[in-house]
Amino acid sequence: KIKSPYKSNYTITQHYSKAHTGVDLVGIIDKYIYAVKAGKIDYLGWENNSNHSQGFGYYIRVLGEDGLYYYYGHLNWIHENLKVGDKVEEGQLLGLEGSTGKSTGSHLHLEIRKKIGTITDMSNSVNVEELLPNEDDIKEESEVRKALLKMNTKLKEKGLQEFNVDYWEGQASDVKYLDEFIIRYSKVFE
């Protein structure tokens, strides 16, 4: 198994296959991408510096401690403190889900290869989908969920109706909206 590249729930939008040797994931609440395995950054930047609409787009490749190469494709942002040669820990923040390169919408293309290079046959590919944790294994709660649960405790103490946490967590995935939401209901904390 590998660690989830997200701190909260995600959905698979394209599965692993011979034609698609990775898995496409979309974060439901949180769009930040974290290292699924410890290793060393082997490459970061554009797949094609002269044409940003090709391939993985803006991506990171990590040589894992297990000897496999982990590709994080289509990123919108790569953490500014990261550079080639840096050691990364499992669960360390790498970047932000995006739609760079050959992409039709915001997602993470996560791929594992046995060696660098184009996949000409499946022997260089690892089925990353089989290694992803089950949704139930993702234990960490998002900051949004924690704030909402705290607000619900206060509401309950005052005998007021509680929020539907699952619904509002999804609505509050936009930080700007979350700020407005918390300001609007901050009197609950008084």
Side-chain angles (χ1 to χ4, degrees), residues 1-13 15 25-29 129-142 145 166 169:
K1 288 284 188 188
I2 58 174
K3 190 163 180 70
S4 171
Y6 294 93
K7 294 287 185 191
S8 60
N9 296 344
Y10 60 83
T11 188
I12 296 175
T13 57
H15 295 275
L25 308 168
V26 174
I28 305 297
I29 308 301
E129 194 167 343
E130 291 178 349
L131 301 176
L132 286 169
N134 297 326
E135 195 171 308
D136 295 339
D137 295 336
I138 303 170
K139 302 286 187 214
E140 299 177 68
E141 289 183 338
S142 70
R145 187 172 197 82
D166 292 327
E169 184 179 27

Side-chain angles (χ1 to χ4, degrees), residues 39-44 61 82-88:
K40 188 171 153 183
I41 295 176
D42 182 62
Y43 179 84
L44 59 81
R61 183 176 63 224
L82 297 177
K83 62 186 180 308
V84 172
D86 283 355
K87 183 173 176 16
V88 293

Side-chain angles (χ1 to χ4, degrees), residues 6-165:
Y6 294 93
K7 294 287 185 191
S8 60
N9 296 344
Y10 60 83
T11 188
I12 296 175
T13 57
Q14 189 169 359
H15 295 275
Y16 177 89
S17 68
K18 286 183 180 178
H20 185 255
T21 54
V23 63
D24 289 349
L25 308 168
V26 174
I28 305 297
I29 308 301
D30 188 3
K31 303 294 185 181
Y32 288 99
I33 304 301
Y34 300 85
V36 298
K37 280 282 188 190
K40 188 171 153 183
I41 295 176
D42 182 62
Y43 179 84
L44 59 81
W46 292 99
E47 181 170 356
N48 184 337
N49 281 319
S50 60
N51 184 350
H52 293 177
S53 65
Q54 285 188 337
F56 293 132
Y58 203 43
Y59 81 105
I60 296 177
R61 183 176 63 224
V62 174
L63 173 56
E65 290 178 345
D66 56 5
L68 298 172
Y69 290 90
Y70 294 81
Y71 291 74
Y72 303 83
H74 308 302
L75 301 177
N76 188 47
W77 168 80
I78 293 175
H79 196 289
E80 58 273 2
N81 293 337
L82 297 177
K83 62 186 180 308
V84 172
D86 283 355
K87 183 173 176 16
V88 293
E89 298 299 326
E90 184 178 276
Q92 181 177 336
L93 177 63
L94 298 178
L96 185 67
E97 173 188 300
S99 187
T100 61
K102 189 176 182 183
S103 169
T104 58
S106 184
H107 70 285
L108 168 68
H109 176 85
L110 181 62
E111 187 166 329
I112 303 174
R113 296 182 184 177
K114 296 176 184 172
K115 58 186 179 193
I116 298 172
T118 306
I119 295 197
T120 54
D121 63 63
M122 297 304 281
S123 66
N124 187 28
S125 178
V126 175
N127 187 342
V128 62
E129 194 167 343
E130 291 178 349
L131 301 176
L132 286 169
N134 297 326
E135 195 171 308
D136 295 339
D137 295 336
I138 303 170
K139 302 286 187 214
E140 299 177 68
E141 289 183 338
S142 70
E143 292 305 311
V144 173
R145 187 172 197 82
K146 288 177 191 174
L148 289 166
L149 290 170
K150 183 176 179 182
M151 290 170 76
N152 267 354
T153 300
K154 296 291 186 183
L155 286 167
K156 190 173 185 178
E157 288 171 2
K158 294 178 183 245
L160 300 171
Q161 184 176 353
E162 297 175 49
F163 292 111
N164 177 329
V165 173

